[in-house]
């Protein structure tokens, strides 16, 4: 990686593990994948995040933002998001959180409104 690049790490914790995408600037995909964490625990998932940070040294971490008015969302995942945010701050990594609606609004500008259309748009970008 060049010194003048910005590495972005997007993380998506879920009930089975952790999805991630690492980009060098917005245009270059470095790595993407899904890590299954068995048995599921925030400690193990956070260790995977620390490994990714160690490998890619991101300047920005992007996380999903839970809607606070939806109490049925998984509390463990919310706690993990808080732990990732705290860890990123300790490492002086900027963090941003975006809701599902904010992401949909951005892709709608490109004519993609369904999950399928959004995935097609992302594929054509890379």
């Amino acid at each position: 990686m060049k010194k003048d690049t910005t590495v972005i790490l997007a993380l998506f914790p879920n009930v089975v593990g952790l999805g991630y995408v690492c980009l060098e600037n917005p245009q270059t995909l470095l790595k993407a994948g899904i890590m299954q964490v068995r048995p599921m625990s925030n400690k193990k998932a956070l260790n995977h995040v620390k490994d990714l940070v160690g490998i890619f040294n991101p300047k920005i971490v992007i996380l999903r933002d839970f809607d606070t008015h939806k109490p049925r969302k998984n509390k463990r995942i919310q706690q993990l998001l808080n732990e990732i945010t705290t860890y990123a701050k300790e490492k002086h990594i900027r963090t941003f959180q975006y809701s599902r609606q904010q992401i949909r609004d951005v892709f709608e500008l490109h004519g993609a409104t369904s999950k399928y259309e959004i995935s097609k748009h992302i594929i054509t970008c890379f």
Side-chain angles (χ1 to χ4, degrees), residues 14-29:
N14 57 52
V15 295
V16 296
L18 183 72
Y20 68 94
V21 173
C22 191
L23 301 165
E24 184 178 67
N25 295 321
Q27 301 86 9
T28 306
L29 177 65

Side-chain angles (χ1 to χ4, degrees), residues 9-73:
L9 179 61
L11 301 168
F12 187 83
N14 57 52
V15 295
V16 296
L18 183 72
Y20 68 94
V21 173
C22 191
L23 301 165
E24 184 178 67
N25 295 321
Q27 301 86 9
T28 306
L29 177 65
L30 296 176
K31 186 153 176 103
I34 299 171
M35 296 178 174
Q36 287 192 348
V37 179
R38 302 251 185 229
M40 187 53 177
S41 78
N42 281 359
K43 184 177 179 180
K44 288 181 183 182
L46 186 60
N47 285 336
H48 283 302
V49 171
K50 290 177 180 180
D51 290 344
L52 291 169
V53 168
I55 292 167
F56 295 108
N57 193 27
K59 292 191 180 359
I60 297 171
V61 170
I62 298 174
L63 301 167
R64 68 194 267 193
D65 185 21
F66 273 118
D67 295 326
T68 55
H69 65 278
K70 292 186 180 179
R72 66 187 180 106
K73 291 292 185 182

Side-chain angles (χ1 to χ4, degrees), residues 9 11 46 49-50 53 58-63 80-96:
L9 179 61
L11 301 168
L46 186 60
V49 171
K50 290 177 180 180
V53 168
K59 292 191 180 359
I60 297 171
V61 170
I62 298 174
L63 301 167
L80 178 56
L81 289 168
N82 292 338
E83 292 171 10
I84 292 169
T85 301
T86 300
Y87 173 73
K89 286 180 183 177
E90 290 171 2
K91 293 291 187 179
H92 306 288
I93 301 169
R94 294 174 61 193
T95 60
F96 297 92

